[in-house]
Structure formats: C-alpha cells, structure tokens
Amino acid sequence: YKKAMLIEEQLVKDHPDIMEYASSLSSSYNDLAAALSDDKGKTDEAIEFYQKCIEIKEKLVKEQPDITEYAISLAKSFYNLGNTLARLRETDKAIESFQKCIEIKEQLVKEQPDITAYAINLSDPYHNLAIQLIYLGQRDKAIELFSKAIPIKERLLIDHPNVRKYALQLLYSYNALSRQLIAIGKTGLAINTINKAIAIGEQRVKDHPDVLDYVVNLSSSYDNMVAALRYDGKTDEAIGFYKKAI
C-alpha cells in the first residue's frame, strides 16, 4: 500500500486538478486504514489514514457534487472511521463520524428515493450510532435509531431469506431495542419485539442447529423476555423462558 501511495501522492502533487488521481489516493488511504484497523496495535495509524482519506473525499464532493460515487465513498469512510473509534471507546468521536455518514446517506435517499440501495445502506449506521448513544445514556435517541434500522433489516431478510448476515443483523437489532425498551419501562413494546426475535431465532436454530450465532442470539432473546416478564411481575412465565435460555 505504502509504495503505491508514494506514487499516487506525487501524482496528486504534480496534477492537483486531475480528480481521478485524488480519488485513487483517497481509496488507497481508506484501504490501508481498513487493514491497519484490524491490527489492535495500529488503530491510531488507521485513524490517521481515515482522516487523510476523508479530507480528500470531502474536497472531491465539494468540487464535484454531481458525482454520486464521491458522496457514497465519503459516507463509507466516515462509517469505517466510526467503527474504529467505537472499538477504541472514543464514543463522542465515533458518534460524530456515524452522524456524518448518516447525513450523507439520508441526503442521497432524499435526492434519489428510487434507488433502494441508498436506504438499505442506512441500517448499519443507524444501529451502530444507537449503540454509541446508549453508552452516553441517550436511550430515547437510541430507540429511535433502532426503530429506523429494523424495518430496513426486515425488508432485507424478506427479500433475501437465505442470507445469514441479514438474519443475524436483524436479531441483533431486535435484542438491542428490546433491552432499551425494558430499561425505560415500555415492556409491552419490548415483549412484542422479543416475540419477533424469538420467532425468527427458533426457526433459524431449527433449520441451522450448527450455527452458534443463532443459538447465542436466541438465548439473548429468551433472557430479554425473562427481564421483561419479571419487570411486569409475571414470575411464573419468566421462569419458563429462563429454563429455555439455559
């Protein structure tokens, strides 16, 4: 990566008006940052390259607002940076990155509502931003974001029922949302959400008993149901789900 970047950096320096060179350099920065972020000892360096990448992409978007690919790429880099910052527990900075990602993606949806891929790509930033907001105690905002992410994920699973990733992502969001609803005493809504998670989870475990992630998510759903029922004073019902969880 670094040898290629030296060449690309020189090209950008020698030909600052050729956008393709700048775009290629920003992509190299992003790819190197992604590789570095997988190495726990090099996350600071990864963040540095994400920031360099974003600086170029922001300039490209400003100078060429009609080239949608630049905006899409910028949003992706903000998302990647947000995930890296989140792993470092840099919550405020992660939130800022996710918010910038969402702002770009929502604008794309507003401008081109017929392109469903733009709306679909909002589900993960919504979910990840919600998780960060929970750490700051902002449950209401987190619930709002989970509630935006879930319909997108439900549609994805309906359209692609055999894609494991979509099923797991939906289950993650159901379980995360239900925990926050229980925490603020909205157990009726929580139980409704948990029942959806259990219905999908039980079917997935039945069809794919060797997939541990399905088992783990189903167990989490049972635990959430126990918590909701105990909150409502329904101890006997809670015991039944507790036995399923273990």
Side-chain angles (χ1 to χ4, degrees):
Y1 283 121
K2 290 186 178 180
K3 288 182 179 180
M5 282 192 304
L6 289 174
I7 297 171
E8 290 175 330
E9 285 172 343
Q10 190 62 47
L11 285 170
V12 171
K13 183 178 180 180
D14 294 342
H15 306 280
D17 296 330
I18 299 179
M19 296 296 101
E20 288 78 5
Y21 291 158
S23 178
S24 179
L25 177 58
S26 70
S27 295
S28 294
Y29 283 152
N30 184 84
D31 292 344
L32 178 57
L36 291 168
S37 67
D38 291 334
D39 187 331
K40 291 183 179 180
K42 296 183 179 180
T43 48
D44 288 342
E45 194 175 356
I47 290 169
E48 179 184 344
F49 279 107
Y50 275 133
Q51 290 170 336
K52 286 184 177 182
C53 165
I54 286 169
E55 182 179 354
I56 294 173
K57 290 181 178 181
E58 286 181 323
K59 183 179 179 181
L60 289 171
V61 169
K62 183 177 180 180
E63 294 180 357
Q64 301 286 338
D66 295 332
I67 300 180
T68 307
E69 288 75 13
Y70 290 158
I72 294 171
S73 182
L74 176 59
K76 181 179 179 181
S77 292
F78 275 128
Y79 178 71
N80 291 341
L81 175 59
N83 285 332
T84 301
L85 291 165
R87 287 197 295 272
L88 293 175
R89 293 289 187 262
E90 301 237 9
T91 305
D92 290 334
K93 291 180 181 179
I95 286 172
E96 182 180 357
S97 290
F98 288 136
Q99 287 174 332
K100 287 181 178 178
C101 169
I102 289 169
E103 181 180 345
I104 295 167
K105 288 176 178 284
E106 287 183 336
Q107 185 62 35
L108 287 170
V109 171
K110 182 179 179 181
E111 292 173 354
Q112 303 181 64
D114 294 335
I115 301 180
T116 56
Y118 294 159
I120 288 170
N121 288 333
L122 271 164
S123 64
D124 288 340
Y126 282 152
H127 179 98
N128 291 4
L129 176 56
I131 296 296
Q132 297 306 302
L133 291 170
I134 290 169
Y135 294 143
L136 298 183
Q138 298 181 27
R139 296 185 187 279
D140 289 342
K141 290 183 180 179
I143 288 170
E144 180 182 346
L145 287 163
F146 285 135
S147 298
K148 287 183 176 182
I150 283 173
I152 299 172
K153 294 182 178 185
E154 288 174 333
R155 173 48 57 185
L156 276 171
L157 186 58
I158 290 171
D159 292 343
H160 307 279
N162 297 320
V163 178
R164 182 186 304 177
K165 178 179 74 172
Y166 294 153
L168 289 171
Q169 287 178 342
L170 178 56
L171 291 170
Y172 293 149
S173 289
Y174 277 150
N175 284 327
L177 173 59
S178 62
R179 283 192 289 270
Q180 300 313 306
L181 290 169
I182 293 167
I184 63 173
K186 294 188 176 181
T187 51
L189 290 174
I191 289 171
N192 183 55
T193 302
I194 297 165
N195 279 327
K196 291 179 181 179
I198 288 174
I200 294 173
E202 287 181 338
Q203 187 62 50
R204 291 279 160 168
V205 169
K206 180 180 178 181
D207 294 341
H208 309 280
D210 56 326
V211 178
L212 181 60
D213 284 338
Y214 287 146
V215 177
V216 171
N217 273 277
L218 180 57
S219 180
S220 294
S221 299
Y222 289 148
D223 286 339
N224 290 340
M225 184 65 85
V226 170
L229 292 169
R230 287 185 63 187
Y231 190 100
D232 285 349
K234 298 178 180 179
T235 307
D236 290 342
E237 290 183 51
I239 289 172
F241 282 99
Y242 177 76
K243 290 178 179 178
K244 288 185 177 183
I246 60 174

